[in-house]
Amino acid sequence: MTQSSHYIEVALPLPLRRVFTYQYTLAKPAVLGARVRVPFGQRQLIGIITETRATAPQGFEAKPIVAQLDDDAVWQPELWQLLSWSADYYQHSQGDVFANALPVLLRQGKPIGYAPITYFELTSNAPDVDEHALKRAPKQKQLIELLQQGRLSATQVKQAQISTTVVTAACDKGWVVSVEETPILDAQQHWTMALSEDPLAVNQEQAVALSAIKQIDGHACCLLEGVTGSGKTEVYLQAIEEVLTAGRQVLVLVPEIGLTMQTIKRFKQRFDVPVEVLHSNLNDTERLHAWLNSRSNRAAIVIGTRSAIFTPFANLGMIVVDEEHDLSYKQQDGFRYHARDIAIKRAQLLDIPIILGSATPALETLSNAVNHRYHWLQLTQRAGVAEQVEHELIDLKGLPMQAGLSEPLLTQIEAELNKHNQVLLFLNRRGFAPALMCHECGWIAQCKRCDAYYTLHQAQRRLHCHHCDSQRPVPKQCEQCGSTHLISHGVGTEQLEDFLNERFPEHSVLRIDRDSTRRKGELDAHLKSASEHKHHILVGTQMLAKGHHFPNVTLVALLDVDGALYSADFRAPERLAQLFTQVSGRAGRAHKRGRVVLQTHHPEHDLVQDLLNNGYQHFALTALAERQATSLPPFKHWALVRAESTDKAQVVEALEQMAACLPQVDGVMGVGPIPALMEKRAGRYRYQWILQTSSRKQRYQVTKYLLSQWENLSILNRIRWSLDIDPQDFT
């Protein structure tokens, strides 16, 4: 829509919850939803036109804009409506929300269009490659073999882990030539749905779920709750087939792209259609091209992490949110949105179905299913020949331990290895040990900037705070008494790996955590070698807990979960139950029987007993009843104000002044100020204040009022603070 006007309102990428008025001096009409370049102080910013007006505000001299960058609106009306709703619901700056929804290059003011793409092709001079050719240049041989199947883009060559040096050498020899092409930005492209492989046979429960999904006409939200290994992905694939056959696109959200490569591979194997993958490892040009391919209908399926929810589509027909319970769907800084909840709103605006899949649904989602707001589809049996896993508790009280392993568990590990099976050991603690201690006086090396101990990384001989990222060399003597008798305390994955290599020297041990997968491609390579049984013992953190298929793993052990049993965070039991269930799902996924072992000092704990004896769903329904009795979410609606400062008294006073603005209204309550679970981090004191209301509408009205009152508090200029709607994390 275009209108001629003298003034425009512009949303700028700033934390301020307001728009700014500028004079529109161009001959062409102003376009609502288009990008403009405007002066702001000593710099220029890229903003979005939100409104036109005939006059400027009284007593205000509007500056002229520099340029209008687009002839049309950046987003379709549906996505514009979604972004505006998101800014309103999360009480966040509209300009910042708009900026979050744009690729980086468009935020910088680059034109909406494809950048040139470099392709590599074989020339007629390229040598024939046989088993004897290029023995001394295996990478050049690999490059030629790949190019014999067709030309490759520079990105595809990089993904094949072929260096620029190898490509340059092949070009210098005249074997390979580079060609630059710029794709044409057509308004609409089209693809034809085709299958690369036949769908798998489904069992009765999968067939019932598919039938329910296919009968949906318009919008509906389906919770597909299926035990690990029950074939949820096959249900997704066959439901998506129907949508693609109708010529419509599909958006699939996944928690973390690095942990779900097997899922992406399955989608590409099943469908012979263009598939785009959106994740943080893409460079800015690749991200813009994926964005454009989706908008112009070049892409049939888009698979992405949380930010992909804002991708424009030409004809979106279904949304799938895999592992919908996962905490990574919630953005924890800046624009603190929840991708699952925005996905549900987007499906509603488009009048299309959305599938939420999980073996361990979030309690909020389960509550909606119980109350019939969502279609509740359940898969209770493992698909194919996979059997239900056995569970076993090991009471650690009084047992001797070696690197966090009890003797009964070591015996079971040895037995499985002798049967040529794989073992997976889960320990959510990186490094060699969580603390370095003086054996003489009990001093512990503590981070001076955080309420946390340094983690010992033995291989690098350094201490590392995983909260503020500060590092230092391992001291030679105690800083308190001068003793040189310093010992590690506790067990991390690095120490566990070292012990297992000594205990089982004939068996290969693979550690998968953030430290061992820092380089690009390492995680994928590790997961591939693990699934191909190149390693016998797998040691890992939460990175191994979900989304992976290891057919030869028959024993899974959780080594230390006791800390989560008594956490101050009311969500901790839910997180532990989800983690336990997800980790358990890695065992016995093929034809081999699986066993899950839980080591604990508290085998009698209600949560542990409930999970082992009754399963996740029974635990979750019981937890929902407890939440209702104690007036906790999802039965009450929370907003969390986080505040931090280097001055403890100042941050407490600021929150007290903010809390004093709360109106006395039935159903509304404020709690705090209270310290965060980690009171001091990175040298700043962190406190919180909780707003609790009886309904979302009431929360919206109260937070709107409070924000207007807080604008008058001068003390807020001296601290950092943020508002989080539907908070998930209290650390």
Side-chain angles (χ1 to χ4, degrees):
M1 180 172 68
T2 62
Q3 292 183 15
S4 296
S5 178
H6 294 295
Y7 297 95
I8 57 173
E9 302 284 10
V10 179
L12 294 176
L14 301 167
L16 303 172
R17 295 173 176 86
R18 51 162 294 194
V19 292
F20 297 83
T21 305
Y22 285 89
Q23 188 179 3
Y24 191 82
T25 55
L26 305 182
K28 61 182 180 180
V31 178
L32 299 184
R35 295 173 300 149
V36 287
R37 188 186 302 276
V38 298
F40 190 84
Q42 300 298 312
R43 53 187 173 145
Q44 293 185 353
L45 298 177
I46 305 298
I48 302 289
I49 301 176
T50 61
E51 193 179 339
T52 60
R53 54 190 300 164
T55 60
Q58 285 189 348
F60 176 79
E61 185 177 347
K63 294 180 180 179
I65 70 166
V66 176
Q68 179 175 291
L69 304 178
D70 306 307
D71 295 327
D72 299 298
V74 176
W75 300 290
Q76 313 99 313
E78 162 267 323
L79 193 46
W80 174 269
Q81 187 179 355
L82 179 74
L83 293 169
S84 300
W85 175 87
S86 301
D88 205 34
Y89 180 82
Y90 289 102
Q91 302 282 350
H92 196 76
S93 155
Q94 193 177 40
D96 198 35
V97 171
F98 290 159
N100 270 275
L102 285 174
V104 170
L105 293 178
L106 299 189
R107 288 182 226 166
Q108 295 171 350
K110 299 290 192 297
I112 296 179
Y114 291 94
I117 300 175
T118 301
Y119 291 96
F120 295 102
E121 301 173 348
L122 284 181
T123 69
S124 57
N125 297 326
D128 292 328
V129 177
D130 57 33
E131 59 180 334
H132 303 294
L134 296 174
K135 277 189 173 180
R136 296 183 179 179
K139 280 296 181 181
Q140 287 188 24
K141 180 179 179 180
Q142 180 190 356
L143 175 63
I144 292 172
E145 287 174 339
L146 288 172
L147 290 175
Q148 284 174 343
Q149 301 169 30
R151 70 178 188 171
L152 297 174
S153 68
T155 300
Q156 290 171 318
V157 170
K158 188 178 178 181
Q159 288 172 343
Q161 297 184 337
I162 298 173
S163 69
T164 307
T165 307
V166 172
V167 178
T168 303
C171 290
D172 290 344
K173 293 174 181 176
W175 299 345
V176 174
V177 65
S178 65
V179 179
E180 270 200 355
E181 285 186 12
T182 302
I184 300 171
L185 183 59
D186 295 334
Q188 290 288 309
Q189 295 288 321
H190 195 66
W191 40 266
T192 303
M193 210 294 285
L195 293 176
S196 301
E197 63 179 17
D198 293 331
L200 302 177
V202 295
N203 60 31
Q204 185 175 352
E205 288 183 330
Q206 289 172 307
V208 169
L210 275 167
S211 176
I213 294 168
K214 290 176 182 179
Q215 288 175 22
I216 295 171
D217 183 19
H219 171 67
C221 186
C222 301
L223 168 60
L224 181 63
E225 181 186 7
V227 299
T228 50
S230 59
K232 293 186 292 297
T233 304
E234 184 61 30
V235 174
Y236 300 156
L237 292 169
Q238 295 195 28
I240 287 170
E241 183 183 339
E242 293 272 319
V243 179
L244 297 177
T245 301
R248 306 193 72 181
Q249 296 166 288
V250 176
L251 170 62
V252 181
L253 293 182
V254 291
E256 299 169 56
I257 212 75
L259 306 183
T260 51
M261 296 311 291
Q262 290 173 113
T263 301
I264 295 165
K265 185 178 177 183
R266 283 192 67 183
F267 274 78
K268 289 186 174 182
Q269 284 177 339
R270 175 65 58 88
F271 299 113
D272 186 16
V273 297
V275 178
E276 288 289 346
V277 181
L278 278 167
H279 55 87
S280 57
N281 287 339
L282 299 181
N283 63 38
D284 292 342
T285 300
E286 291 168 337
R287 183 171 285 276
L288 175 59
H289 284 194
W291 190 88
L292 291 168
N293 287 343
S294 175
R295 192 173 87 144
S296 62
N297 205 26
R298 287 175 184 261
I301 302 172
V302 174
I303 302 174
T305 48
R306 62 173 175 260
S307 62
I309 188 54
F310 299 119
T311 305
F313 284 83
N315 190 14
L316 187 59
M318 176 180 279
I319 301 175
V320 175
V321 184
D322 191 30
E323 306 291 357
E324 64 81 28
H325 67 278
D326 200 281
L327 188 59
S328 61
Y329 283 124
K330 173 73 171 179
Q331 174 73 25
Q332 299 292 1
D333 53 23
F335 173 30
R336 300 170 186 268
Y337 66 94
H338 201 303
R340 177 199 62 212
D341 297 344
I342 292 182
I344 294 168
K345 182 65 179 179
R346 187 169 189 180
Q348 180 189 339
L349 291 173
L350 286 170
D351 195 30
I352 61 173
I354 178 171
I355 304 173
L356 309 179
S358 177
T360 54
L363 295 193
E364 291 84 355
T365 303
L366 198 60
S367 176
N368 283 320
V370 169
N371 292 310
H372 306 291
R373 296 190 197 94
Y374 297 168
H375 295 285
W376 193 0
L377 311 173
Q378 299 182 61
L379 306 177
T380 61
Q381 301 296 321
R382 286 192 155 195
V385 296
E387 300 180 50
Q388 296 293 340
V389 299
E390 299 174 354
H391 293 93
E392 180 182 338
L393 273 178
I394 295 180
D395 186 352
L396 294 179
K397 291 193 290 289
L399 290 180
M401 304 287 289
Q402 299 182 73
L405 301 167
S406 64
E407 201 55 45
L409 178 56
L410 284 167
T411 301
Q412 293 192 42
I413 292 173
E414 188 167 14
E416 294 304 318
L417 294 176
N418 289 338
K419 296 175 188 174
H420 306 291
N421 294 325
Q422 279 179 300
V423 173
L424 190 156
L425 303 177
F426 175 82
L427 179 63
N428 207 22
R429 201 180 293 130
R430 292 158 53 199
F432 187 84
L436 181 70
M437 175 187 289
C438 174
H439 193 56
E440 302 295 334
C441 71
W443 168 84
I444 301 178
Q446 184 168 3
C447 176
K448 291 180 171 59
R449 305 176 69 227
C450 303
D451 290 333
Y453 299 125
Y454 277 115
T455 297
L456 171 64
H457 288 259
Q458 188 82 301
Q460 292 83 23
R461 295 297 298 163
R462 62 182 171 87
L463 299 177
H464 187 180
C465 176
H466 292 159
H467 302 283
C468 71
D469 206 35
S470 67
Q471 300 181 42
R472 54 172 292 194
V474 175
K476 291 183 170 57
Q477 60 188 60
C478 173
E479 294 180 3
Q480 187 165 291
C481 72
S483 169
T484 57
H485 196 177
L486 301 180
I487 59 172
S488 62
H489 183 72
V491 180
T493 51
E494 188 183 318
Q495 183 181 163
L496 182 58
E497 179 190 25
D498 289 350
F499 171 78
L500 290 166
N501 277 320
E502 290 180 14
R503 178 70 181 250
F504 304 106
E506 69 280 11
H507 295 285
S508 174
V509 180
L510 175 66
R511 172 167 59 94
I512 300 181
D513 57 23
R514 198 175 297 174
D515 298 314
S516 67
T517 57
R518 288 190 182 279
R519 295 177 186 169
K520 192 171 182 178
E522 278 187 320
L523 178 58
D524 291 343
H526 283 343
L527 293 174
K528 186 171 184 289
S529 63
S531 61
E532 292 174 353
H533 205 166
K534 292 180 180 178
H535 304 278
H536 311 110
I537 306 175
L538 311 178
V539 173
T541 57
Q542 217 157 313
M543 298 177 77
L544 275 180
K546 58 203 171 190
H548 307 305
H549 178 67
F550 303 126
N552 293 297
V553 169
T554 53
L555 174 63
V556 170
L558 291 84
L559 304 189
D560 184 10
V561 296
D562 287 349
L565 296 175
Y566 300 99
S567 171
D569 184 353
F570 76 91
R571 294 188 192 276
E574 177 187 2
R575 303 273 184 247
L576 175 58
Q578 289 167 342
L579 181 63
F580 172 80
T581 307
Q582 294 287 338
V583 173
S584 299
R586 301 314 107 207
R589 291 178 66 89
H591 58 282
K592 298 180 179 180
R593 183 87 181 202
R595 185 190 303 115
V596 178
V597 175
L598 177 64
Q599 291 191 150
T600 176
H601 287 90
H602 307 282
E604 72 291 341
H605 194 281
D606 290 344
L607 169 58
V608 173
Q609 290 296 326
D610 197 7
L611 277 175
L612 261 62
N613 296 321
N614 305 312
Y616 178 80
Q617 190 182 105
H618 184 273
F619 154 80
L621 293 173
T622 303
L624 270 177
E626 292 174 355
R627 294 262 189 102
Q628 187 169 20
T630 51
S631 296
L632 289 171
F635 302 98
K636 296 293 181 181
H637 302 276
W638 284 19
L640 178 69
V641 177
R642 293 183 176 88
E644 59 179 56
S645 170
T646 54
D647 185 332
K648 181 177 179 178
Q650 189 177 70
V651 75
V652 172
E653 182 186 352
L655 282 178
E656 286 175 344
Q657 289 188 29
M658 296 172 86
C661 298
L662 184 66
Q664 299 298 312
V665 180
D666 287 344
V668 176
M669 183 175 73
V671 179
I674 54 177
L677 293 180
M678 181 177 289
E679 182 178 355
K680 185 182 178 185
R681 185 165 72 188
R684 305 182 73 88
Y685 292 94
R686 306 158 64 247
Y687 276 73
Q688 302 172 347
W689 179 73
I690 299 168
L691 170 67
Q692 178 175 292
T693 64
S694 297
S695 68
R696 287 190 180 89
K697 181 179 179 181
Q698 190 179 50
R699 179 182 62 190
Y700 173 79
Q701 293 168 339
V702 173
T703 51
K704 200 85 171 173
Y705 169 79
L706 286 172
L707 286 167
S708 68
Q709 297 299 303
W710 292 343
E711 288 179 359
N712 303 318
L713 299 180
S714 60
I715 194 172
L716 297 189
N717 297 325
R718 301 194 292 275
I719 67 165
R720 291 181 192 166
W721 70 276
S722 63
L723 176 66
D724 189 357
I725 303 296
D726 298 326
Q728 298 290 312
D729 181 30
F730 297 87
T731 56

